[in-house]
Amino acid sequence: MHASAPPLPVLVVGSGPTGLILAIDLARRGVGVRIIDKSAEFPRTSRAKGPNPRSLEVLEDLGVLDEALAAGAAPLPMRKYRGGIAIADADPFADQRPTPDAPYDRPHMMAQWRLEEVLRARLAEYGVRVELGAELVGLAEGEASVTATLAGGDRIEASYVAGCDGGHSAVRKLLGIPFEGRTDETQLMVCGDVEVEGLDRGFWHQWFDEDGAVMLCPIPGTRSGWWFQAGPERDAAGAPVAPSLDGFRRLFAKHTGLPGDRLTEATLLSTYRVNERMAARYRVGRVLLAGDAAHVHSIAGGLGMNTGIQDAYNLGWKLARVAAGLAGPALLDTYEEERLPVAAEVLDISAERLRATMEAIKKPGGGLDSAVGPGTNGLGSGYRWSSLAASPLTTPLLRAGDRAPDAPCLDATTGEPRRLFEVFAGPHFTLLGFGAGTAGALRDAAAAHGEDLRAYGVGAGGPSGLTDHAGHARAAYGIGPDDELLVLVRPDSHVGLITEADDVKAVTAYLDGADA
């Protein structure tokens, strides 16, 4: 009698950016993963307009930043019109610059399908490919696994299932998790990808009139492709008219004053409604939700896809450790503990940015630059409330749970430039020692935890050394020139622990606690 094969460690349902990033994060940690999608072919939808600064940091860690940057473009200035006349230009990022602690100062514009191509190529490097035409119709959790049933009758047994399958998530519905919130039927847009000739591709054009609006943004990497968004046409009864090429041409001609036949080949047509909803739970036993399956909100601020990317980045290292038997299932409870409050905050931010934008466009010169504001770059989100952030010490700038800042340093041995983000990159924890008094703790911690922990003395010697030649590391971490501290950074580049220079016991206790 043959023993049954052990279950697959993780099944990811949904192959948008959230599911792909989660699958990459698991695969690079050596965790077996399959990723399925009900679509028959990969979508060509442009949808989200690109990763924000925090998501660019995630892409750097995953090793795909250069490819993503090459596939897109920097955000364009916005040209705003009234009555067909250009009356104002605005660049909401004009005054922003990269800083030593935050190297990406603005989002990067790219079609979602291009980002997905980049991520699929990275995932394929680990021998994992998206399985198309695989629609989930059933979930049954057993004592040690979950059985996923597909529409054709096939079954996949996995230790864990991650639902990254969008706002209409089959995983969420099969779990019976409430998706509470509201849909505003009064705030509508018709959207699509169009071809337009004769417009300057150096601007995001925005025609806002009292009786409607048209917005056209060039799609990077295309010769004449544009994102089209507009207030819908209405029929005699006041009901919105479904999007169509003819309708887009009429809206274009009405608001721009240009011939409608300049607009051609409208595809991927959709009607967008402001939807603000959150899942009541992110985890039921061995099944978890991420991305739009867990939360949807206004597009104002561009936070939808980016919040999903952060979900995946938070979940990846935790699920990998649990699936590999390095940590107990309790670690997965911290995923909901940390990410659900962030989703609630994002709902508030996007709602406020939408309100500000709707108010701005009532006046000539108002436009979508009003959607850019506090919280939209993703850099401020942290987890200070988390049970993984119970740290004995803080600095004037940093507490456990905060995003770990970047800083340019030098390799103490070779003198070559080396950023903190470079030493954080990968599946390990990172221990930074500020001050010569941390050298012993760095050596002991590195010896005790092997490949799970990389230890670096920042101007302090130790197993590996970094020279804080310009003082940027100490400045970013709020550590004075004579202070000596240990800072433990989690695999998702958030601070886990700040403690005394010789307190290797606190480091070990933290790592043991995370793996309880």
Side-chain angles (χ1 to χ4, degrees):
M1 182 175 181
H2 296 289
S4 60
L8 171 80
V10 180
L11 173 66
V12 176
V13 182
S15 66
T18 300
L20 289 167
I21 282 178
L22 179 59
I24 292 169
D25 211 6
L26 294 167
R28 71 171 176 162
R29 289 175 161 84
V31 173
V33 59
R34 285 177 68 179
I35 178 168
I36 63 172
D37 199 290
K38 69 178 182 180
S39 300
E41 57 187 21
F42 295 120
R44 297 285 291 187
T45 178
S46 299
R47 286 194 284 184
K49 289 188 174 65
N52 66 12
R54 180 55 177 163
S55 292
L56 291 173
E57 295 179 355
V58 174
L59 296 178
E60 179 180 2
D61 182 22
L62 297 181
V64 295
L65 180 64
D66 289 345
E67 292 84 350
L69 293 178
L76 296 172
M78 301 176 183
R79 176 155 290 174
K80 294 166 294 182
Y81 303 76
R82 198 74 159 193
I85 305 299
I87 59 173
D89 291 346
D91 181 352
F93 306 104
D95 296 330
Q96 299 191 27
R97 300 289 184 274
T99 58
D101 63 313
Y104 311 111
D105 64 323
R106 62 197 63 202
H108 194 67
M109 291 180 61
M110 62 188 304
Q112 183 171 318
W113 65 267
R114 283 293 290 120
L115 177 59
E116 291 172 359
E117 280 189 341
V118 168
L119 294 172
R120 286 198 300 271
R122 181 61 166 160
L123 185 60
E125 293 176 13
Y126 297 103
V128 181
R129 287 175 170 77
V130 176
E131 302 170 40
L132 293 172
E135 182 179 2
L136 180 75
V137 295
L139 284 173
E141 182 170 349
E143 185 175 336
S145 65
V146 181
T147 300
T149 302
L150 306 184
D154 289 346
R155 289 180 171 82
I156 302 172
E157 187 179 6
S159 295
Y160 292 91
V161 172
C164 307
D165 50 342
H168 299 289
S169 171
V171 174
R172 187 188 65 243
K173 292 174 182 176
L174 288 167
L175 293 175
I177 296 176
F179 202 40
E180 299 163 347
R182 70 184 188 97
T183 300
D184 188 342
E185 295 289 350
T186 68
Q187 293 186 323
L188 303 177
M189 283 196 308
V190 288
C191 309
D193 288 7
V194 301
E195 298 287 319
V196 178
E197 296 290 351
L199 283 182
D200 186 342
R201 291 181 66 82
F203 291 92
W204 183 346
H205 300 272
Q206 302 166 16
W207 292 266
F208 288 107
D209 297 317
E210 292 184 6
D211 60 347
V214 165
M215 293 153 277
L216 279 162
C217 182
I219 302 173
T222 65
R223 185 188 67 83
S224 55
W226 297 73
W227 286 296
F228 180 99
Q229 297 168 287
E233 295 181 296
R234 301 277 177 172
D235 62 19
V241 175
S244 67
L245 172 58
D246 287 342
F248 281 10
R249 283 174 167 166
R250 288 190 294 269
L251 288 165
F252 178 78
K254 173 183 177 182
H255 292 289
T256 70
L258 300 171
D261 59 7
R262 286 196 183 182
L263 189 152
T264 60
E265 296 189 46
T267 59
L268 303 169
L269 306 182
S270 65
T271 299
Y272 168 79
R273 294 168 173 80
V274 173
N275 220 349
E276 297 176 331
R277 297 181 183 277
M278 276 181 53
R281 300 178 64 185
Y282 280 19
R283 179 189 176 200
V284 175
R286 293 178 173 271
V287 185
L288 304 106
L289 300 177
D292 286 356
H295 44 75
V296 294
H297 39 78
S298 155
I299 59 173
L303 292 166
M305 177 189 73
N306 288 292
T307 304
I309 287 173
Q310 306 311 320
D311 287 346
Y313 197 47
N314 182 287
L315 178 59
W317 70 274
K318 298 171 181 178
L319 187 53
R321 296 181 78 81
V322 175
L326 299 175
L331 181 60
L332 295 178
D333 291 333
T334 68
Y335 167 61
E336 177 180 306
E337 178 190 4
E338 292 183 343
R339 292 304 299 172
L340 194 148
V342 170
E345 180 184 26
V346 167
L347 269 173
D348 291 340
I349 292 170
S350 62
E352 170 55 27
R353 290 298 92 206
L354 178 63
R355 185 205 62 76
T357 302
M358 297 304 293
E359 191 66 28
I361 63 176
K362 292 177 182 177
K363 302 174 183 178
L368 298 186
D369 47 313
S370 297
V372 178
T376 59
N377 64 12
L379 298 178
S381 296
Y383 313 119
R384 291 184 173 185
W385 59 84
S386 171
S387 57
L388 294 179
S391 181
L393 298 179
T394 65
T395 78
L397 296 181
L398 215 59
R399 290 174 54 183
D402 290 349
R403 164 190 166 273
D406 194 12
C409 298
L410 299 175
D411 187 292
T413 301
T414 67
E416 294 294 315
R418 197 158 193 215
R419 293 163 49 220
L420 290 185
F421 277 2
E422 292 178 55
V423 303
F424 296 161
H428 54 271
F429 287 84
T430 305
L431 184 62
L432 301 177
F434 291 88
T438 65
L442 292 171
R443 282 193 296 268
D444 291 348
H449 298 283
E451 285 299 307
D452 201 26
L453 179 74
R454 306 279 177 86
Y456 297 86
V458 184
S464 298
L466 300 171
T467 301
D468 188 17
H469 60 296
H472 289 307
R474 282 184 176 270
Y477 283 72
I479 298 174
D482 299 322
D483 294 334
E484 298 191 324
L485 289 173
L486 293 170
V487 178
L488 182 65
V489 179
R490 302 173 0 174
D492 60 352
S493 300
H494 281 265
V495 175
L497 175 74
I498 303 171
T499 192
E500 301 286 356
D502 60 351
D503 196 0
V504 70
K505 290 183 178 179
V507 175
T508 296
Y510 184 94
L511 294 172
D512 289 346
D515 292 347

